[in-house]
Amino acid sequence: MTKSLHYRACHLCEAICGLAIETEAQADGSTQIRSIKGDAQDSFSRGHICPKAVALQDIQNDPDRIRQPMRRVGEQWQAIGWDEAFDLVAERLSTIQAAHGQNAVAVYQGNPSVHNYGLMTHSNYFLGQLKTRNRFSATSVDQLPHHLTSLLMYGHGLLIPIPDIDHTDFMLILGGNPLASNGSIMTVPDVEKRLKAIQARGGKLVVVDPRRSETAAIADQHLFVRPGSDAALLLALLNTLFEEGLTRDSHLPVEGLEQVREAIAGFDAQAMSARCGVPAETIRQLARDFAAADKAVCYGRMGVSTQAFGTLCQWLVQVINLVTGNLDRSGGVLCTTPAVDLVASTSGGHFNRWQSRVSGLPEYGGELPVSALAEEMLTPGEGQIRALVTVAGNPVLSTPNGRQLEQALEGLDFMLSVDFYINETTRYADLILPPTAPLEHDHYDTTFNVFAVRNVTRFNEAILAKPDGALHDWEIFVGLAKAFAARNGFELKPTLAPEQMIDMGLRFGPHGDSSERKLSLAALREQPHGLDLGPLQPNLAARLKTPSKAVQAAPELLLADLARFAEQQQPAAHELLLIGRRHVRSNNSWMHNYHRLVKGKPRHQLLMNPADLASRGLVDGQRVSVRSRVGSIEVEVAASDEVMAGVVSLPHGWGHARPGVQMDIARAQPGASANDLTDERQLDALSGNAVLNGVPVEVVAA
């Protein structure tokens, strides 16, 4: 038996950490994984590894993972051949569209889609043929406000400035917990060391969050903020910067700053303090400290996006960086120059070209807000969704009002899922097509390199051979596309394999043949630890995609949204507000099916401030009923001063004890789905992004 050492990256979360994987060839010709460790020579992650990366071997060996196409017949699942499966999909979707129109078929893509380059390069080869306006994704329960803000201010939805974490003197984080999430729209492995390095060089870390998170626990200052009120805090900060003359000129061409100053004049620290729960003088001092730092970063993540004014928050974050001279500045926020440049090679995006049929919610980049998905299935009439294709997603657990979505899925005429688990969503599918596992296919990260805190690039070879009879995700979409085209009598354009597309992207990218490095796929294959292409550099002026080639500081849509903010009714004093939370061992719900990720102290409980427990006659460890407008759950409550009074916190992704789920370890876990409480009617009205933080709930004894 021969042992071999391989290098690749983990793509189970946004950190893309480099790994050293030892395998051993067995006498029967199979290969076993002996160990997974951090790659100390990796150009980006520097040996860092988290529990999710070690769990790659659990995915590989999981007996619950589907390894061949499965068709549901009644309550049973039966194996089916690939060609028969492709023909079935083509026949059913074509028949439904012929009878009810193109929009009768919908698509939902989950967040693992951006972690698999085969899905990024080839999913639309088939899905694009459907020509449906009913396309949805996890974007609108996460980062849609980031993209819309960048589209309006900079002309491209992916032109998102990234914190220059390695060179800043002051980092202000709102609604983010990078110690648990590894950054997300700030691809940053080894984030704890990087944050502590800010403090070691005399800088300051400030975290604003309704919970004293893992990141807040290491911060120099933590400020509790009332859930859903971050816009009030940010408006007060910006107002103070203007009123006290703390702004700096920008080297960038900027239009509309005076309009911004006039529009926010009434939102001063005193007025906003009552809304956000942060003392007015604390807000003013935070603004002064931020402005006084030589190099500072204001960073708002998912916690500020998934609230009623998520887009307003992300705009204010950008304007604060702009007016303090920290936009497009080393030590501030900078745009990447990735080896495969999606900003240069794609259109900037579009917004509100059409709306959802029932509630009139706006599209962004060809996708509608996922909060509208269930109602588009349940509401009769022309354009009603009658079939659904899900790709690497579990919207029953990850989108608002999961119980309503279950009801909608039950009534579909046909459902196809590209997935390798029978989970809370795919159990409703008529057909499940499983791709190869992560270690069985090559990978290049096209998306998260765009958001990385350094310009880096790495191509990952497959560690294990593709099993006989298996297909990669991109091969599944090619097969579906060919069957659908044949069924409908049109010719397909030829396509390339993903690695060929990446090779072209590298050669024609900013570090390609015209540069000293002469990047290509062949060159990357010789660099198993990846390549560091250097720190982020000021480049926004040259990359702006707005018609005037200037930063648009005052988009009309955002100035108009200030009126909605001013009129917002405040929550009642006795009301509890629900927020979520992340854990370093969780990213997607299927990770709860691996023992090494769910073992240890339970983390499914509802966290509740001791004062709130006492006032309701509840005690630590008791089972409670949590109720919202859309439903109720039962869960164990845990007393914790981590959460501020008036706030309860429930983690995302639990609630696996539903009939038909074939994930044995996950089903054995306690806990309930937070999205059985979140409300599909609560949205950021501007973007359509779901409100997952600040949901009003009642907590009583079960």
Side-chain angles (χ1 to χ4, degrees), residues 264-339:
I264 68 148
F267 301 105
D268 60 73
Q270 197 64 44
M272 294 299 97
S273 174
R275 292 189 62 163
C276 67
V278 181
E281 187 52 36
T282 301
I283 297 173
R284 294 189 191 99
Q285 191 57 51
L286 179 59
R288 295 164 191 149
D289 293 346
F290 189 89
D294 182 38
K295 297 169 287 188
V297 171
C298 183
Y299 171 66
R301 187 44 197 117
M302 185 174 174
V304 294
S305 288
T306 53
Q307 56 180 265
F309 296 95
T311 309
L312 200 62
C313 285
Q314 294 299 345
W315 168 63
L316 291 166
V317 165
Q318 297 299 319
V319 176
I320 286 170
N321 287 323
L322 170 64
V323 302
T324 55
N326 288 298
L327 176 62
D328 195 47
R329 180 169 181 253
S330 294
V333 289
L334 295 158
C335 292
T336 58
T337 310

Side-chain angles (χ1 to χ4, degrees), residues 676-695:
D676 289 344
L677 298 171
T678 54
D679 191 338
E680 82 283 1
R681 296 182 190 172
Q682 289 194 34
L683 301 167
D684 171 17
L686 178 53
S687 67
N689 202 81
V691 171
L692 306 180
N693 286 304
V695 178

Side-chain angles (χ1 to χ4, degrees), residues 486-516:
R487 172 83 187 185
N488 291 281
F490 57 83
E491 283 190 32
L492 273 177
K493 293 181 180 179
T495 187
L496 301 173
E499 62 267 25
Q500 293 174 292
M501 295 183 181
I502 295 303
D503 185 49
M504 292 176 63
L506 290 167
R507 291 179 183 276
F508 291 100
H511 306 278
D513 283 343
S514 61
S515 71
E516 280 184 29

Side-chain angles (χ1 to χ4, degrees), residues 604-674:
H604 61 272
Q605 303 104 319
L606 180 79
L607 299 186
M608 193 168 181
N609 188 277
D612 291 324
L613 281 171
S615 67
R616 288 161 177 80
L618 303 173
V619 296
D620 181 43
Q622 183 176 354
R623 285 198 67 78
V624 296
S625 175
V626 189
R627 304 167 184 169
S628 72
R629 185 195 71 83
V630 304
S632 65
I633 61 169
E634 285 193 9
V635 68
E636 179 185 327
V637 70
S640 175
D641 62 2
E642 281 185 10
V643 291
M644 63 188 292
V647 174
V648 291
S649 174
L650 194 67
H652 161 81
W654 300 87
H656 305 291
R658 283 161 151 89
V661 174
Q662 296 189 17
M663 300 167 66
D664 287 348
I665 294 176
R667 280 182 56 81
Q669 303 305 310
S673 174

